[in-house]
């Protein structure tokens, strides 16, 4: 405590002593510095900055427009320029409405996006571990890897019909889970389970390839060392590979979560209607603010931002690990 | 502690339709507590041999026996073998303590307190107890090396395998660790196989050295035996820096005829050649004497071509005749205080009791220099 108190005044004294000197010299130096700096800017560099600023404006304007629009009353939206701030007709009502309508959908989306993300990342990590560190013959590995890579490039549109056929004829989950619905749970929720399984299946290839490239860079000698230390393959994964995968998990979790959260195609096929109890947020958002009287732009903007918030949250939450994972 | 025996060990890698023989019929028997250094140029199969012993490579044919029991089908995690890698291969997310405890946790049922006790004891022995709570990234190369050693030692395995463990250290630290490793191995008495391409390590560290070339075992013997009585031309040329001088010669009636000189040999030496006429004459640089005047046979007039002063000694390149070519250059070492300069005409003495003669076709040594057993004995136990 005493140390702090002694240190405090000493510091201010020193500041007071040097302050005037610094101001005088500082302004002179600043002016000189600014002038020198301006003199050093040639036409090319000035052009570059102008272009960069223009690009920033170009990319930011839609977001800014959306954000200001979401705070405007319906009248203000039509009367003012789209990107003008909501000076007169400012309202939080649209956000309130969007929140009330979408909350149910956000909950449903979380219900399948979170498990599907975690499961596909875990399976991808396990598969990649098996493909990089085991003694599987190179020839067989190549075949399996080719199949994983091919899996990435299967377009969703191509599988929509087989997918509905699969869930209605091959695995009629709705009938199989009859005992669950008997407990009083809405049978619309079968769509959530179907979405989890489908997204896991389509997410595993990309997750595996991402993890594989990461594991290939892992020190082989370290894995061998762990084997010689007496650890089984499973234990090596559990104690060495998994703890070292954190940065790649961040990358894969962010990527997969965003993909699954934003996907509309599978939800359209497997859940279909926004009136369903299990309707995900994207499905409700698609119809939000549209009616026969016209489009409520402010409401649509507020809804869009609201629906995008969870993906932003995931980015921010795993930001540091993401940067590390991308860098490796 | 155990006896390790490699019996006709062979490893063939399949590369498409090609077969690459990495290790060819290698048989070595290593006694309990012995320190054997496996040495050879890169690609000679020494690391592959070690990895087969560790169980990291499958064995194509042959047997590895540990205390008489064959272990090729035992998984690496059950072989009771510890290995130190060139890259140290520490677990970056664990502390030094975690790194050292990992092996005991995975391979034994010891209670935690016992594991911790052993880790601390080993850390004490390696003089690194203050590093226990640090992560590998916070350690210097030398410290990482000690942790890697500690990780192997703490497990008290039957065999230590070391794959070029010192090659990532700077020269000074390497020399220091070399001595320390030898001392540790002697204290622990654990059978050790040490792979290196560095001949200084091979000569100084091992009880015996095994020299490999092209997957084939060339010689297994004590370092001095390999140096003075090489089994073939490869071993003779591989050990020693600067390496042995070789001259292609033809044997004609008691004289070895090279393109640049003729070297008479006594009958006792000539009988070693049998009927072989196409030979290679070998002489170590330090066995060549540089003198002022020729007095008898085996003395040759030569010109000094280049002198490389090393401080403690000079490496001198001598030529028979005027032009330096591959076949007429003789390398000699002289004391560092001797003044020899390029262009000077001197006499080189190639003593007959120091020459080696090899069969040119097969490379086999037909005649090796005579080592007076007294000389070697004096090195082992100084008089008094």
């Amino acid at each position: 405590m005493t140390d702090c108190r002694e240190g405090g005044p000493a510091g201010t004294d020193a500041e007071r002593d040097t302050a005037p000197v610094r101001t005088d010299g500082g302004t002179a130096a600043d002016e000189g510095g600014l002038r020198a700096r301006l003199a050093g800017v040639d036409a090319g560099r000035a052009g570059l900055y102008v272009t960069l600023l223009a690009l920033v404006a170009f990319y930011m304007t839609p977001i800014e427009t959306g954000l200001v629009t979401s705070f405007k009353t319906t009248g203000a939206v039509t009367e003012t320029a789209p990107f003008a701030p909501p000076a007169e007709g400012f309202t939080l009502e649209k956000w309130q409405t969007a929140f009330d309508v979408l909350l149910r959908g956000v909950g449903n989306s979380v219900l399948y996006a979170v498990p599907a993300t975690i499961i596909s990342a875990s399976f991808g990590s396990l598969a990649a571990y098996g493909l990089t560190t085991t003694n599987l013959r190179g020839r067989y590995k190549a075949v399996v890897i080719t199949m994983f890579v091919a899996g990435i490039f299967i377009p969703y549109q191509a599988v929509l019909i087989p997918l509905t056929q699969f869930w209605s004829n091959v695995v009629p989950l709705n009938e199989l889970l009859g005992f669950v619905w008997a407990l009083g749970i809405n049978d619309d929720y079968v769509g959530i389970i179907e979405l989890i399984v489908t997204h896991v299946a389509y997410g595993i290839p990309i997750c595996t390839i991402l993890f594989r490239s990461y594991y290939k860079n892992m020190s082989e000698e370290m894995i061998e060392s762990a084997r010689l230390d007496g650890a089984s393959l499973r234990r090596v994964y559990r104690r060495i590979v998994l703890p070292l995968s954190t940065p790649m998990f961040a990358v894969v979790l962010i990527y997969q979560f965003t993909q699954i959260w934003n996907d509309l195609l599978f939800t359209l096929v497997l859940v279909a209607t926004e009136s369903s109890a299990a309707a995900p947020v994207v499905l409700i958002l698609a119809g939000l603010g549209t009616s026969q009287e016209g489009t409520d732009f402010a409401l649509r903007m507020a809804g869009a931002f609201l629906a995008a918030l969870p993906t932003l949250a995931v980015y921010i939450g795993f930001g540091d690990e993401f940067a590390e994972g991308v860098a490796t | 502690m155990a006896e390790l025996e490699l019996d006709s060990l062979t490893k063939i890698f399949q590369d498409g339709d090609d077969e690459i023989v990495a290790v060819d019929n290698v048989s070595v028997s290593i006694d309990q507590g012995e320190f054997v250094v496996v040495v050879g140029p890169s690609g000679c199969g020494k690391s592959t041999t070690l990895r087969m012993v560790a169980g990291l490579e499958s064995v194509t044919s042959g047997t590895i026996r540990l205390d008489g029991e064959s272990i090729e089908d035992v998984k690496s995690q059950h072989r009771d073998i510890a290995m130190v890698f060139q890259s140290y291969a520490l677990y970056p997310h664990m502390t030094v303590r975690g790194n050292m405890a990992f092996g005991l946790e995975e391979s034994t049922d010891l209670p935690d307190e016992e594991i911790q006790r052993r880790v601390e004891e080993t850390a004490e022995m390696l003089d690194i107890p203050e590093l226990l709570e640090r992560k590998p990234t916070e350690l210097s190369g030398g410290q990482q090396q000690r942790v890697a050693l500690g990780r192997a030692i703490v497990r008290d395995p039957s065999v230590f395998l070391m794959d070029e463990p010192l090659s990532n250290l700077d020269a000074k630290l390497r020399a220091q660790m070399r001595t320390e490793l030898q001392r540790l191995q002697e204290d622990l008495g654990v059978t050790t196989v040490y792979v290196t391409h560095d001949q200084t390590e091979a000569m100084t560290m091992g009880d015996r050295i095994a020299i490999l070339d092209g997957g084939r075992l060339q010689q297994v013997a004590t370092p001095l035996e390999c140096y003075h009585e090489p089994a073939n031309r490869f071993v003779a040329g591989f050990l020693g820096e600067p390496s042995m001088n070789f001259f292609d010669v033809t044997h004609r009636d008691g004289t070895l005829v090279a393109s640049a000189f003729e070297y008479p040999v006594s009958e006792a030496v000539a009988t070693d050649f049998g009927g072989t006429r196409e030979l290679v004459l070998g002489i170590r640089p330090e066995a060549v004497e540089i003198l002022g005047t020729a007095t008898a046979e085996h003395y040759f007039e030569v010109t000094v071509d280049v002198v490389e002063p090393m401080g403690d000694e000079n490496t001198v390149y001598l030529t028979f005749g005027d032009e330096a070519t591959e076949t007429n250059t003789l390398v000699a070492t002289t004391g560092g205080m001797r003044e020899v300069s390029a262009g000077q005409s001197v006499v080189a003495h190639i003593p007959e009791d120091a020459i080696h003669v090899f069969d040119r076709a097969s490379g086999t040594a037909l005649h090796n220099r005579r080592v007076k057993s007294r000389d070697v004995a004096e090195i082992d136990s100084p008089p008094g």
Side-chain angles (χ1 to χ4, degrees), chain A residues 135 139 219-233 235-236 238-241 243-244, chain B residues 51 54 56 75-77 81 83 85-94 102-103 105-107 151 155:
Chain A
N135 293 328
R139 205 175 306 163
S219 156
E220 218 171 287
E221 293 193 338
M222 182 183 66
I223 308 285
E224 289 174 348
S225 181
R227 295 300 302 275
L228 282 168
D229 265 346
S232 62
L233 265 181
R235 296 286 296 167
V236 172
R238 171 72 199 75
R239 295 202 58 190
I240 308 286
V241 176
L244 288 174
Chain B
R51 290 172 61 81
L56 300 171
K75 284 189 176 175
S76 13
Q77 67 254 45
I81 282 174
M83 186 158 167
F85 291 87
Q86 182 179 350
S87 65
Y88 314 140
L90 299 177
Y91 314 128
H93 57 300
M94 297 183 189
F102 184 81
E105 286 164 5
E106 292 299 325
S107 62
R151 200 169 61 174
R155 281 183 47 210

Side-chain angles (χ1 to χ4, degrees), chain B residues 12 91 106 123 134 150 188 190 215-216 231 233 246 262 304-305 318 325 340 346 361:
Chain B
I12 298 171
Y91 314 128
E106 292 299 325
R134 293 214 211 147
L188 298 166
V190 177
R216 290 216 178 87
R233 189 181 159 167
F246 293 111
E262 294 192 358
V304 179
D305 185 30
L318 307 164
T325 63
V340 190
V346 291

